[in-house]
Amino acid sequence: MASSLSLSKLVTPNARSASSPESLRSRSIKTNFLAFNLSSTTFRTNLSASLRTHHENAFKASLRVRCSQTDGNGVPAKRTVLHDLYEKQGQSPWYDNLCRPVTDLIPLIESGVRGVTSNPAIFQKAISSSNAYNDQFRELVQAGKDIESAYWQLVVKDIQDASKLFEQIYDQTDGGDGYVSVEVSPNLADDTEGTIEAAKWLHKLVSRPNVYIKIPATAACVPSIKEVIANGISVNVTLIFSLERYEAVIDAYLDGLEASGLNDLSRVTSVASFFVSRVDTLIDKSLEKIGTPEALNLRGKAAVAQAALAYQLYQRKFSGPRWEALVKKGAKKQRLLWASTSVKNPAYSDTLYVAPLIGPDTVSTMPDQALLAFIDHGAVARTIDSNASEAEGIYNAIQKLGIDWSNVGNQLELEGVDSFKKAFDSLLDSLQEKAKALKLVSK
């Protein structure tokens, strides 16, 4: 039961345990995307080679389906813990990756994935290391598009094609889920007006109702969030690393809804992407430098503790008279989205940033490693608020050791923006080289 799960148990980074393979019957049922091996109690589901990494290697991993049920027509319905995550706990599992062909997403959708996130680093890997974009890129450059304009056309096609795959989920949930996210240029992270105009332009260019325009939660872009929401554009606010900045993001969303002048707010939605693993990466270094037993015992606990407090803040802000007035106009809560859920320290549990952060009205976006680990051996239970007082104790203990949470947030924000800028600029450089290789421009 969720109530019996102690936060200390959830956030203490235990070494990974290998799952012992179950005995399988010899009969195999093959489908176009999934191969099932049937046993008496479980399906072993293998992703086919159609699931590729950004380097176009076969994305081979085992998905363990916990149970098999039948729908009204007697057809076996494939279920994984991802279905249970959404249906039993109200958390939407999303996939943090996107590349061509987007049909590679189909088996993931069948396995319970309900949305997709992307960022400049993801597209840098996808486009620079794949030939799947060459034909469209060639046509764009030959048509006179400059390199950056061509980049956006490549990205928009992926986003549009992916959003089509999630349309059914979007419709079934009345706009509550089934989103694909695309980010404005990271070079605008310090440009309030530039971000507003870029978000409007990208929203118009993509022209899909189930697409989030990603805007970074920098100090300069918080006012941009308000303005973009006020214009009726749904937003994924990214690169949130601190409670202080998260509260500013919530306020920008509420301010934007109130300023919109819309009588029906139901189609203006948002998620707030709170980054997790990078927090531990930075704070662990400081704890190791301090070196006391108390400090060392806090390693691997900071990120989840801060996330648990963020959820408390979410609950407080989306309640009370101000919020209820917006609800009467159809407003939807800005869901918390857990980002950066892959484990950076191999000594930690491979579900460290997924399992302790399960709660209603939230999203967990997972890259390959985290997604497959959770499907294979993740447990579904409400954990995000199972021990709020312990989360606060961890947070305060870290502060008392001289580690300033505001400084941590600021440093991680700068590093995150810089990382995305470098990925964006690197991709433009690689496209320039690709144009030369395809003999589309003179050397």
Side-chain angles (χ1 to χ4, degrees):
M1 299 293 291
S3 59
S4 66
L5 291 174
S6 153
L7 187 66
S8 61
K9 292 180 181 178
L10 289 170
V11 302
T12 300
N14 298 319
R16 298 175 182 171
S17 60
S19 299
S20 59
E22 300 174 356
S23 60
L24 304 174
R25 291 172 61 183
S26 59
R27 184 182 177 189
S28 176
I29 304 172
K30 294 184 179 179
T31 68
N32 206 19
F33 291 101
L34 299 170
F36 300 93
N37 290 319
L38 182 62
S39 73
S40 58
T41 58
T42 188
F43 282 116
R44 292 288 296 182
T45 308
N46 295 320
L47 284 180
S48 74
S50 65
L51 277 180
R52 300 169 186 167
T53 65
H54 288 302
H55 300 290
E56 293 191 312
N57 293 324
F59 176 21
K60 298 174 181 177
S62 178
L63 298 183
R64 176 169 299 158
V65 180
R66 296 299 182 190
C67 59
S68 174
Q69 299 179 350
T70 58
D71 61 19
N73 297 318
V75 178
K78 301 173 289 292
R79 291 185 61 84
T80 75
V81 291
L82 300 185
H83 294 104
D84 291 338
L85 193 63
Y86 176 74
E87 294 169 13
K88 296 180 180 180
Q89 297 300 330
Q91 182 174 80
S92 296
W94 288 6
Y95 183 48
D96 190 27
N97 201 352
L98 183 59
C99 62
R100 293 186 186 180
V102 297
T103 50
D104 285 352
L105 294 170
I106 292 174
L108 291 175
I109 294 171
E110 291 178 344
S111 298
V113 167
R114 303 180 62 81
V116 163
T117 48
S118 67
N119 59 48
I122 285 174
F123 277 117
Q124 192 272 335
K125 293 176 183 176
I127 297 174
S128 64
S129 63
S130 171
N131 293 324
Y133 297 84
N134 285 1
D135 289 345
Q136 186 191 2
F137 181 62
R138 181 184 291 106
E139 292 174 2
L140 290 167
V141 175
Q142 288 177 339
K145 297 287 185 181
D146 61 74
I147 297 298
E148 186 167 347
S149 297
Y151 159 79
W152 285 111
Q153 292 293 332
L154 297 175
V155 166
V156 166
K157 176 170 172 51
D158 279 4
I159 295 298
Q160 290 175 331
D161 290 347
S163 68
K164 186 70 176 176
L165 296 177
F166 287 95
E167 256 184 4
Q168 185 176 7
I169 294 174
Y170 176 82
D171 292 338
Q172 288 173 344
T173 57
D174 192 28
D177 216 345
Y179 287 89
V180 179
S181 297
V182 59
E183 190 161 347
V184 298
S185 169
N187 290 326
L188 298 171
D190 296 318
D191 185 344
T192 303
E193 291 302 320
T195 295
I196 294 169
E197 293 308 310
K200 291 179 181 178
W201 170 79
L202 194 51
H203 171 73
K204 184 176 181 180
L205 187 62
V206 173
S207 189
R208 295 290 189 277
N210 61 325
V211 169
Y212 277 131
I213 305 302
K214 289 182 80 171
I215 296 175
T218 58
C221 287
V222 169
S224 309
I225 296 162
K226 173 190 173 181
E227 185 65 23
V228 173
I229 290 292
N231 275 269
I233 298 171
S234 295
V235 175
N236 177 341
V237 184
T238 188
L239 294 177
I240 304 172
F241 295 99
S242 69
L243 297 176
E244 180 181 12
R245 186 55 54 83
Y246 174 46
E247 184 166 17
V249 165
I250 296 175
D251 288 337
Y253 177 61
L254 298 176
D255 290 344
L257 291 176
E258 291 169 340
S260 70
L262 295 171
N263 292 321
D264 180 10
L265 296 172
S266 63
R267 293 296 165 182
V268 187
T269 68
S270 181
V271 291
S273 295
F274 203 98
F275 279 55
V276 191
S277 68
R278 296 187 192 184
V279 173
D280 275 345
T281 300
L282 181 58
I283 288 183
D284 279 1
K285 292 178 182 178
S286 297
L287 293 172
E288 289 169 0
K289 187 175 181 179
I290 295 170
T292 64
E294 179 189 9
L296 296 177
N297 188 51
L298 290 169
R299 287 177 297 178
K301 298 180 180 181
V304 171
Q306 183 180 229
L309 297 181
Y311 189 74
Q312 289 184 39
L313 179 58
Y314 160 82
Q315 290 177 309
R316 290 197 301 271
K317 298 289 285 189
F318 288 99
S319 62
R322 183 187 186 189
W323 175 242
E324 291 304 320
L326 290 168
V327 170
K328 290 178 181 178
K329 293 185 176 184
K332 295 176 180 176
K333 295 177 181 178
Q334 181 188 55
R335 290 187 296 172
L336 255 173
L337 181 152
W338 309 121
S340 183
T341 56
S342 62
V343 175
K344 307 297 192 291
N345 187 334
Y348 293 172
S349 165
D350 53 8
T351 60
L352 176 61
Y353 303 114
V354 180
L357 301 179
I358 298 174
D361 300 322
T362 59
V363 178
S364 181
T365 187
M366 296 171 265
D368 300 339
Q369 176 198 44
L371 183 69
L372 292 169
F374 190 75
I375 289 174
D376 182 63
H377 48 269
V380 174
R382 179 165 175 164
T383 54
I384 183 60
D385 48 9
S386 61
N387 200 329
S389 61
E390 187 167 353
E392 188 172 356
I394 292 170
Y395 188 90
N396 291 336
I398 289 171
Q399 184 83 28
K400 287 178 182 178
L401 287 172
I403 300 172
D404 188 284
W405 282 95
S406 294
N407 290 341
V408 169
N410 291 336
Q411 181 176 337
L412 289 172
E413 179 184 297
L414 288 171
E415 291 175 359
V417 170
D418 186 58
S419 174
F420 284 171
K421 284 181 178 179
K422 287 180 178 177
F424 184 76
D425 292 341
S426 174
L427 177 54
L428 295 184
D429 289 342
S430 67
L431 285 177
Q432 186 70 40
E433 292 303 312
K434 182 169 285 195
K436 292 179 181 178
L438 294 172
K439 299 181 179 179
L440 299 176
V441 296
S442 59
K443 295 183 179 180

